[in-house]
Amino acid sequence: MISPAHSHPPPTGRAVQIATASVLLVAMAWLASRVVLGLDFTDEMQYYGQIESLVRTGRFFQNDLFLQQLGYLFALPFFKLHAVVFPDQRYLIVFGRLLLLVGYATVGWLFWRTSARRGGFSVVQRQLGLAAFCAWIPFQLFALSYNTLAYLLLVALGCVRWTRAGARFRPTASASAALMAILTFSYPPAGLVAILAVAIDEWRHAGVRLALGLLTLTLAAALAIIGVLFALHGSALIDDFALAIAFSRGFTSGAILQPEAFWAWVVALAATALFLGRTRRGPGFGALRILPTSTLAFRVGRAVCIVAAIVLAKMSFDWSYGYVPAALLLLLLIAVGGCADGRSPRTLTIGVVVGVVVVWLLSARWATGHFAASAYLGLLALLATFAREDELQAVAPLALAGALLGTVFAFTSGNGIHNFGVGAAAVVPWLVLYGARAAVRTESTVVRALALPAALVVVVLFLVNAALYPYREQPAWKPFRPAQHVPAFAGIWTSPTKTEAIDTFSRFFGLHDIAHRRLFVAGPHPWLYFVARGQPATPMLFMHFTVREENYEFAAKQLFRGGKPDAVVIANGVPRSIQARLSAWAAEGCTAENLPLRDDFRRRYARETRQEFGDQVTLLIRPPAARR
């Protein structure tokens, strides 16, 4: 665990205080603005489609077989209340985002409170850590999802474990057990790894008896959640859960094994090993050492960084992603700074300046997880340069946790190395907090003058990255328009391209009276279910055709598991197996209506959402007598 710090924090200049408070306010305001600003037509619509299905049916996996929806169990009472107040789904998206904002506020308050109780951190340093927490949204997609829930739960768990030393066992163990159980159902791989890491940490610090007690509490919490799931879903839960696992396996992993992504992950791990090699006692949790000596960690990390850099260069890997530059930067700064205390002010100053400049360069064209991964490695580079040995010992578990979480997220997601940053970002607020304090505790007056501004720049870059790379939405500085005609989108402002799409399809569906009928959308456009106000009849709300044909053969077998649709929207070319099922359905009798789409609209839509429409959309409607 991170050791407490009781030293009195040094004073901070007035200008830095004002700048830090301003950045924190901007981060909070930006977070709050996301409640109404922006709309993702793809993944976000899948998430809220899963929530709508759960509220309507009271069961999981009815209209979407992806596994990552169990976490919505904990938000179900709130959405049930929303359905009572707004039976037409009005303000559904805004309501979900408000719940997420409350989650951010709660965890942010916990972070602020625990950093104050630990002592040794100035108000400015705590403001920087809190601003870093507020500035980061996984994938910059402000929606209730397994990624955002995992981020909040991991930061909250870190806060609870942070204050474990000196606290009574029962409250901290109960809170840890509850958070880990919820995390296990929201993002199962991350939850299981967290349970293992926390149990080892408890064993090393408090003994076997308390570690077993913590595991027992976690098991009890998990069994209670399973009991609620069975009470809600019924005896079919086991079969539906097994089907969801089989379905999800083909879509949610494997990207990290692609050569470029794999070697980028190797570089990130090697860079972390370089940092851990800076510690005198070797990396690990407490007395549990991952490598026998810090010298070995450093040598292994250095060798792997060099080899991986050569491999990636041979592959013509895009170096602007930054994993290779960040790793080599870390190697350079450690080599320049040496492995002992008492480094010269000039060396420290050069390290800080170079580190900040490189982090800025890495952020120039980065989206979400890639930027977070480089920020994580860049912060380690800065800490390796100017941090004292006691500070390095305090941060070493954070570096190890960031690499571990990044690896878990990367190997259990269809986004590969992109998700490494999503996992590693869970420790970034603490890296900013400790980095700001470590810098001002050095003997160099120049470094102390530059330290907080440097940390401030890192937080500002998170905000710049958020504004530059919103998830499948236009940048924040462009004009937004209110989304109309769709009750679920009430209160949302989005891009002119998306409002044009909403208006076009609202008129088209309104002419053919398909509201409240069973609807199947063949294509990667789950937002059409909300625009048409139809009842989804699909095993895959976000039907993106980006994987192997055998995956869609599995999906085709489940296509009408809940009953045949009354209408089908064909927005794109579909895989052969799904096309065969749709042809058999259409042969039973239907009428066809076509909606031509302009080329300029299709280009703008594809550029913004990274999904495409064909030159026309076909709506197949079954006559009333043929409906089943």
Side-chain angles (χ1 to χ4, degrees):
M1 290 300 296
I2 301 172
S3 58
H6 302 290
S7 59
H8 185 72
T12 306
R14 182 73 173 172
V16 174
Q17 292 177 1
I18 294 174
T20 304
S22 300
V23 168
L24 176 59
L25 290 176
V26 170
M28 290 179 172
W30 169 250
L31 197 64
S33 72
R34 299 298 300 275
V35 172
V36 298
L37 192 64
L39 184 65
D40 168 41
F41 272 2
T42 56
D43 294 86
E44 185 175 20
M45 295 300 98
Q46 178 189 19
Y47 303 148
Y48 287 104
Q50 293 170 346
I51 292 172
E52 184 277 333
S53 174
L54 177 61
V55 171
R56 175 169 45 83
T57 66
R59 302 174 69 182
F60 294 95
F61 314 122
Q62 299 308 294
N63 297 131
D64 196 87
L65 287 175
F66 281 106
L67 187 62
Q68 308 98 322
Q69 57 185 280
L70 292 176
Y72 295 136
L73 171 69
F74 309 103
L76 180 59
F78 302 103
F79 282 102
K80 282 283 191 181
L81 178 62
H82 173 270
V84 171
V85 178
F86 299 104
D88 63 347
Q89 299 182 1
R90 190 169 298 274
Y91 301 108
L92 176 65
I93 310 301
V94 167
F95 181 75
R97 292 178 179 181
L98 283 173
L99 290 180
L100 183 57
L101 184 64
V102 170
Y104 263 88
T106 302
V107 177
W109 169 82
L110 183 61
F111 179 87
W112 181 266
R113 178 172 175 267
T114 52
S115 61
R117 290 178 62 185
R118 293 289 291 183
F121 297 104
S122 70
V123 172
V124 168
Q125 293 160 6
R126 291 158 55 205
Q127 286 175 341
L128 282 170
L130 182 59
F133 165 74
C134 294
W136 170 250
I137 302 168
F139 292 101
Q140 295 304 333
L141 177 54
F142 195 71
L144 277 176
S145 71
Y146 53 97
N147 285 313
T148 52
L149 289 175
Y151 175 62
L152 294 180
L153 289 168
L154 285 168
V155 175
L157 179 62
C159 291
V160 172
R161 302 303 301 170
W162 201 18
T163 56
R164 183 196 60 80
R168 291 182 299 169
F169 171 77
R170 185 171 298 175
T172 57
S174 299
S176 298
L179 290 170
M180 290 188 295
I182 296 173
L183 178 61
T184 301
F185 285 90
S186 301
Y187 203 119
L192 295 174
V193 169
I195 291 171
L196 177 62
V198 170
I200 292 174
D201 181 66
E202 192 71 27
W203 166 49
R204 299 306 304 176
H205 285 86
V208 175
R209 184 176 64 86
L210 292 184
L212 291 176
L214 178 61
L215 289 175
T216 301
L217 288 173
T218 305
L219 179 61
L223 290 175
I225 294 172
I226 291 174
V228 173
L229 286 173
F230 272 103
L232 177 69
H233 195 101
S235 59
L237 176 64
I238 295 177
D239 292 338
D240 288 346
F241 186 71
L243 182 63
I245 292 176
F247 180 82
S248 300
R249 187 180 295 120
F251 290 88
T252 58
S253 62
I256 191 62
L257 298 179
Q258 297 175 0
E260 294 88 348
F262 177 79
W263 282 103
W265 167 72
V266 170
V267 168
L269 286 191
T272 304
L274 282 174
F275 174 80
L276 294 174
R278 276 283 288 114
T279 64
R280 287 191 180 278
R281 294 184 298 155
F285 288 99
L288 182 66
R289 299 292 157 218
I290 304 302
L291 293 173
T293 65
S294 60
T295 302
L296 178 58
F298 182 79
R299 289 176 178 175
V300 170
R302 178 176 58 188
V304 173
C305 272
I306 294 173
V307 171
I310 295 173
V311 171
L312 287 174
K314 292 288 287 183
M315 291 179 177
S316 300
F317 182 72
D318 189 350
W319 279 51
S320 64
Y321 277 153
Y323 301 106
V324 176
L328 297 181
L329 166 69
L330 190 53
L331 176 63
L332 172 65
L333 293 184
I334 291 174
V336 172
C339 293
D341 291 331
R343 285 153 286 176
S344 68
R346 181 179 179 183
T347 299
L348 292 171
T349 303
I350 292 173
V352 172
V353 173
V354 171
V356 171
V357 170
V358 171
V359 170
W360 166 262
L361 292 175
L362 294 180
S363 71
R365 58 176 293 263
W366 279 34
T368 58
H370 295 293
F371 171 78
S374 275
Y376 160 76
L377 295 175
L379 287 166
L380 292 186
L382 294 175
L383 283 162
T385 305
F386 56 66
R388 304 186 317 194
E389 292 301 328
D390 59 333
E391 296 286 356
L392 290 175
Q393 290 295 331
V395 176
L398 292 173
L400 187 59
L404 181 63
L405 290 172
T407 298
V408 170
F409 276 67
F411 275 83
T412 57
S413 167
N415 298 300
I417 193 63
H418 196 40
N419 255 45
F420 181 92
V422 176
V427 303
V428 165
W430 283 285
L431 293 181
V432 171
L433 182 68
Y434 272 89
R437 191 185 72 178
V440 300
R441 291 175 64 184
T442 62
E443 298 179 359
S444 170
T445 56
V446 177
V447 172
R448 285 200 298 270
L450 292 175
L452 288 177
L456 191 61
V457 167
V458 173
V459 176
V460 169
L461 289 178
F462 268 96
L463 292 172
V464 172
N465 181 262
L468 287 175
Y469 300 103
Y471 190 78
R472 304 193 183 193
E473 179 59 277
Q474 67 179 10
W477 61 81
K478 293 188 177 181
F480 285 73
R481 296 176 182 173
Q484 299 176 341
H485 312 302
V486 182
F489 299 167
I492 297 294
W493 289 64
T494 187
S495 68
T497 298
K498 289 195 177 79
T499 55
E500 179 184 350
I502 292 171
D503 294 342
T504 299
F505 280 91
S506 293
R507 290 193 299 268
F508 178 64
F509 290 139
L511 291 174
H512 303 292
D513 189 27
I514 61 172
H516 309 298
R517 296 182 183 175
R518 293 176 54 79
L519 176 66
F520 173 74
V521 176
H525 309 287
W527 62 282
L528 292 178
Y529 289 108
F530 291 99
V531 174
R533 306 186 199 183
Q535 178 181 321
T538 176
M540 187 179 176
L541 286 165
F542 181 17
M543 189 162 282
H544 46 85
F545 304 127
T546 56
V547 294
R548 296 170 298 181
E549 177 65 30
E550 50 263 36
N551 297 116
Y552 295 108
E553 291 175 358
F554 187 95
K557 294 177 182 178
Q558 309 300 325
L559 206 59
F560 303 140
R561 61 189 292 262
K564 294 182 179 180
D566 299 319
V568 172
V569 174
I570 301 178
N572 303 77
V574 298
R576 293 190 301 272
S577 53
I578 294 179
Q579 179 63 47
R581 296 296 305 274
L582 293 180
S583 298
W585 174 87
E588 298 176 5
C590 67
T591 59
E593 302 289 343
N594 294 320
L595 172 64
L597 297 176
R598 301 192 317 272
D599 289 343
D600 69 307
F601 166 77
R602 293 167 53 211
R603 285 194 297 269
R604 286 184 284 112
Y605 183 91
R607 183 170 58 249
E608 193 167 291
T609 67
R610 301 200 296 275
Q611 301 294 339
E612 297 180 351
F613 275 113
D615 56 1
Q616 70 177 15
V617 172
T618 300
L619 173 63
L620 304 178
I621 309 174
R622 178 157 291 177
R627 291 177 194 149
R628 297 178 184 177

